[in-house]
Amino acid sequence: MNFWEYLGNRYQQLLADAFQHASAVFQCMVVATVLGVLIGVLTYRSEWAGNLATTAASGILTVPSLALIGLLIPLVGLGVAPTVIALVLYGLLPIVRNAIVGLRGVDPTLVDAARGIGMSRAAQLVRVELPLAWPPILTGIRVATQMLMGIAAIAAYASGPGLGNEIFRGISSLGSKNALNQVLAGTLGIVLLALLFDAVYVLVGRLTIPRGIRA
Amino acid sequence: MPETPVATSGAAAGSGAASASGAASASGAAIRLENLTKQYAGNPYPSVDNVTMEIRAGETVVFVGPSGGGKTTLLKMINRLIEPTSGRIRIDGEDVTDMDPVKLRRKIGYAIQSSGLFPHMTVAQNIALVPKMVGWSKSRVQDRVEEMLDLVGLDPGQFRGRYPRQLSGGQQQRVGVARALAADPPVLLMDEPFGAVDPITRDHLQDELIRLQHELHKTIVFVTHDFDEAIKLGDRIAVLRDRSHIAQFDTPEAILTNPADDFVSGFVGAGAALKRLNLTRVRDVEIADFPTVTVDDPLQDIFDKLRDSQGNELLLLDRHRRPYKWLRRGDLSRAKGSLARAGTLVHDTVTRDATLRDALEAVLIDNGGRVAVTGRRGEYTGVVDMATLMNSVQEMLEADRLEAAEHRSAGGLPEEGLEHPFVRDAGGPEGPA
Ligand SMILES: Nc1ncnc2c1ncn2[C@@H]1O[C@H](COP(=O)(O)OP(=O)(O)OP(=O)(O)O)[C@@H](O)[C@H]1O
Ligand SMILES: [Mg+2]
């Protein structure tokens, strides 16, 4: 069976895996974005808190994903839980870092102007600082998504959902007739999903970055 | 001397619904700074040290002083962007030192050097910010945006929807001023608002501000490095030393003719007499009549008038009565009766609002030693010549000297404007709502 025949045979399973993969990444990204921006907002004004948040987030990233999932399984069991936790944790770093850098990069005279015309602290943040920091935050989200696409494949190790299952099945039966097809289908599927998400982010950028600050 | 501004009472600022936009606008409130001190943590000495100052309702006060002297710090304590270490701030008699700073700032316009416009919002959105925050209705905000753009000389249709980066520096600065004035605050704080634009634009913006202030009578506190700007804009100038110590607080005339000490003289710089010319406007001197004809007059009439006129010269006006050419006797016959070729074009005119310095400049350049004065639409209103200017300057300096002498004999400290009793507007807008 060549690769195309394999795809033709298994497309239903592959589509279901792809959908689950995308859905897991998407949901984890939503959580990571909310958490990441929140952490950024809470820490960017303080030198040490901001640095601590960034360092902690990069610390997590240095843990190999397989090891992290391995460590999570005894704590939360198999399946969705370790997958979600791992993905959210990995997704945090680029978002937290870019949120802090973006918020700190807002021209201080604009913050001064916002205060000066009588904006409350919350209004300054929501109406001025976050919109101006949004382009770098969005970049962080994009980078995080790309990363999670790959990392999500590892989740299959913990019986998580997604295209990783395809890859692991292939790897565990190396030498069998479909092994290569399985690895190839899983990998290509992930690459395709990543490209698709990226296209969506370009669109999101177009829609959400105000015209006045679009590059 | 600038006239003492008289605050009109009954201005409706606090009572939002009562004043339709464009109707009554809030005129200035008096500001009193009492023993204001700011000590930044970690600095060996205070940046503003025990400053007491009385700013009258409706006047423009300019802070000038050396860089790092604490001007910005002093200014920002008025709207409490910087909290004073000690001292009180009163606006219209009310102590605002402890009120909610956010509410306070909505009643104080704030314009800064880099315009401070939010780049992700359109011009209209920027201007609408404060009116929206204080709860104006949508339609009222919309009207107000148009009105403010008109006020600062930008066509609403063209500029409303633009983003700040699509504006020139001068236009951004105008929008910055429009935003600061949008909710009709009685007080306007400006920190080197024209510091970053080229000299010609700066000059225009200064003229605009003078015109605005003529209409609005806000209390304006203006910070600058530029003493000429201070002279041009200020009803009174506070020359500040280090730590915002007041070296002299008086009218521009008094500071120019009677600087309190060497520090102030140093700031005034050379050419005080020339700078004095900036303080008087063409409308304050005698504008002479000049024989005129228009391009539509029959040629024969023009010939006759030229022959009869004493100075052997006529000013030819165009169809809109704007100065067009200087015609001397003989010019017409040399040009074989063609008005198009006869005479010399009028290069330069001044308006009634131009300073005597501008007028002198124009007179010096003109080979006939005079300049035509024009009205609002550029129409001819008269002529100013060298002799008039000389006489006026002599009179002016004489008057200044007399005034300075009186000042001294009255024994008044420079900080206290003795001849202007402090006028407070009892019915004016109060601080908090
Ligand atoms: N946030 C701050 N923390 C510590 N020191 C400050 C702070 N802001 C200003 N200073 C100090 O206070 C002094 C006065 O500063 P300020 O900005 O008020 O001066 P300025 O007169 O406005 O100067 P410039 O004309 O250059 O704008 C300076 O010595 C400055 O270093
Ligand atoms: Mg300053």
Side-chain angles (χ1 to χ4, degrees):
Chain A
M1 186 155 44
N2 71 22
F3 183 59
W4 300 113
E5 288 166 349
Y6 176 79
L7 283 189
N9 266 338
R10 304 288 299 275
Y11 75 96
Q12 271 180 323
Q13 177 63 41
L14 282 171
L15 278 182
D17 279 344
F19 176 78
Q20 284 192 332
H21 199 95
S23 152
V25 169
F26 174 76
Q27 292 181 47
C28 292
M29 276 312 300
V30 171
V31 179
T33 300
V34 171
L35 272 182
V37 172
L38 201 66
I39 293 172
V41 163
L42 291 177
T43 59
Y44 80 104
R45 297 208 132 190
S46 140
E47 184 75 29
W48 68 266
N51 294 347
L52 181 72
T54 319
T55 314
S58 22
I60 297 173
L61 207 64
T62 59
V63 181
S65 41
L66 201 57
L68 182 67
I69 290 176
L71 288 172
L72 283 170
I73 292 173
L75 294 176
V76 297
L78 287 172
V80 174
T83 311
V84 168
I85 294 174
L87 289 189
V88 168
L89 283 178
Y90 283 121
L92 278 180
L93 172 70
I95 300 174
V96 169
R97 192 176 49 200
N98 281 26
I100 291 177
V101 169
L103 287 167
R104 284 183 179 170
V106 172
D107 183 351
T109 59
L110 292 182
V111 181
D112 183 67
R115 287 179 66 212
I117 66 171
M119 283 194 187
S120 64
R121 180 72 196 98
Q124 285 164 45
L125 197 63
V126 174
R127 315 260 341 245
V128 177
E129 293 176 89
L130 280 175
L132 291 177
W134 179 238
I137 294 176
L138 190 62
T139 306
I141 295 174
R142 222 168 131 176
V143 170
T145 309
Q146 303 292 313
M147 224 168 59
L148 292 204
M149 279 295 168
I151 293 173
I154 312 291
Y157 172 78
S159 316
L163 288 165
N165 288 307
E166 200 72 15
I167 299 174
F168 271 98
R169 253 186 311 232
I171 291 175
S172 61
S173 59
L174 273 181
S176 74
K177 61 180 164 64
N178 272 333
L180 197 61
N181 285 336
Q182 284 173 327
V183 175
L184 206 57
T187 311
L188 283 179
I190 289 173
V191 171
L192 275 180
L193 277 184
L195 289 176
L196 198 70
F197 267 67
D198 221 40
V200 171
Y201 281 125
V202 172
L203 195 69
V204 169
R206 287 240 146 248
L207 294 177
T208 57
I209 297 176
R211 212 148 46 84
I213 54 172
R214 216 175 282 159
Chain B
M1 297 290 301
E3 66 272 73
T4 308
V6 179
T8 46
S9 57
S15 54
S19 79
S21 67
S25 82
S27 45
I31 303 170
R32 186 173 163 75
L33 311 179
E34 294 170 3
N35 307 102
L36 268 193
T37 295
K38 178 64 188 184
Q39 167 80 59
Y40 288 109
N43 285 9
Y45 52 80
S47 294
V48 170
D49 184 21
N50 198 23
V51 172
T52 298
M53 184 184 274
E54 182 102 47
I55 296 168
R56 297 180 202 118
E59 79 174 333
T60 303
V61 165
V62 182
F63 296 168
V64 277
S67 185
K71 303 180 295 294
T72 297
T73 306
L74 184 59
L75 185 83
K76 282 184 169 179
M77 282 196 283
I78 298 176
N79 65 357
R80 293 182 40 220
L81 278 175
I82 293 175
E83 292 290 353
T85 312
S86 64
R88 315 301 298 175
I89 305 141
R90 285 179 206 283
I91 294 184
D92 255 351
E94 186 194 1
D95 193 334
V96 298
T97 327
D98 298 314
M99 81 178 271
D100 176 5
V102 169
K103 277 203 188 124
L104 172 69
R105 290 178 201 138
R106 289 179 186 172
K107 295 185 175 291
I108 299 181
Y110 183 57
I112 54 179
Q113 176 166 22
S114 55
S115 90
L117 294 181
F118 301 127
H120 58 298
M121 300 183 191
T122 61
V123 165
Q125 287 168 334
N126 267 287
I127 297 176
L129 277 169
V130 190
K132 273 189 184 160
M133 284 191 293
V134 296
W136 289 18
S137 73
K138 222 179 179 157
S139 66
R140 190 173 165 213
V141 172
Q142 216 163 22
D143 292 346
R144 185 65 177 174
V145 168
E146 312 273 302
E147 190 190 337
M148 294 317 294
L149 281 172
D150 272 334
L151 188 71
V152 297
L154 295 174
D155 172 32
Q158 200 185 342
F159 289 97
R160 197 193 294 127
R162 290 214 199 167
Y163 286 93
R165 69 169 178 191
Q166 299 166 315
L167 305 176
S168 73
Q171 289 163 347
Q172 289 184 18
Q173 221 49 59
R174 281 162 202 255
V175 177
V177 172
R179 182 177 71 184
L181 288 171
D184 203 15
V187 175
L188 179 58
L189 307 181
M190 309 180 90
D191 194 350
E192 300 189 39
F194 310 144
V197 293
D198 66 89
I200 295 174
T201 310
R202 186 182 316 148
D203 216 51
H204 280 299
L205 291 170
Q206 290 165 347
D207 290 338
E208 295 269 299
L209 185 65
I210 292 171
R211 182 181 58 77
L212 280 182
Q213 175 65 344
H214 237 82
E215 291 175 32
L216 302 175
H217 304 292
K218 303 290 181 191
T219 303
I220 301 181
V221 187
F222 191 105
V223 169
T224 181
H225 278 119
D226 177 358
F227 193 72
D228 291 322
E229 183 169 66
I231 291 177
K232 187 167 172 186
L233 297 177
D235 293 322
R236 287 195 296 162
I237 299 175
V239 183
L240 303 176
R241 293 176 216 277
D242 272 356
R243 306 182 210 179
S244 283
H245 285 299
I246 300 173
Q248 189 168 8
F249 185 22
D250 212 329
T251 61
E253 290 85 348
I255 289 177
L256 280 175
T257 48
N258 194 25
D261 56 22
D262 286 350
F263 178 82
V264 178
S265 310
F267 237 90
V268 171
L274 273 178
K275 284 178 185 169
R276 183 65 184 77
L277 287 177
N278 279 332
L279 290 173
T280 310
R281 312 241 150 216
V282 170
R283 66 176 124 76
D284 301 327
V285 304
E286 192 186 336
I287 300 176
D289 268 336
F290 203 80
T292 61
V293 289
T294 75
V295 288
D296 291 333
D297 288 345
L299 266 183
Q300 191 54 48
D301 288 6
I302 300 180
F303 267 117
D304 292 346
K305 268 204 175 171
L306 259 181
R307 197 167 343 102
D308 299 341
S309 76
Q310 289 189 336
N312 300 334
E313 201 173 24
L314 288 179
L315 180 57
L316 178 63
L317 308 178
D318 69 7
R319 282 201 178 81
H320 305 285
R321 295 197 55 77
R322 291 179 303 212
Y324 174 44
K325 278 180 172 180
W326 300 103
L327 279 185
R328 282 173 201 274
R329 189 174 292 173
D331 279 353
L332 256 188
S333 27
R334 264 194 298 282
K336 303 204 170 58
S338 155
L339 275 182
R341 269 179 287 147
T344 41
L345 280 174
V346 173
H347 280 300
D348 211 357
T349 60
V350 292
T351 65
R352 291 164 55 81
D353 288 330
T355 63
L356 285 196
R357 193 188 180 125
D358 295 338
L360 179 66
E361 175 95 25
V363 167
L364 285 176
I365 290 170
D366 186 275
N367 51 23
R370 71 286 198 245
V371 63
V373 182
T374 56
R376 283 184 81 94
R377 283 171 301 282
E379 78 281 8
Y380 163 85
T381 56
V383 162
V384 168
D385 62 15
M386 200 61 172
T388 316
L389 284 178
M390 297 264 292
N391 283 338
S392 315
V393 171
Q394 291 304 328
E395 281 168 24
M396 226 159 58
L397 290 176
E398 190 53 37
D400 286 351
R401 270 192 286 273
L402 278 176
E403 179 123 355
E406 266 172 43
H407 233 87
R408 265 194 299 270
S409 61
L413 292 171
E415 287 98 301
E416 294 164 348
L418 283 174
E419 77 275 41
H420 301 299
F422 170 55
V423 185
R424 212 178 82 61
D425 165 21
E430 296 295 332

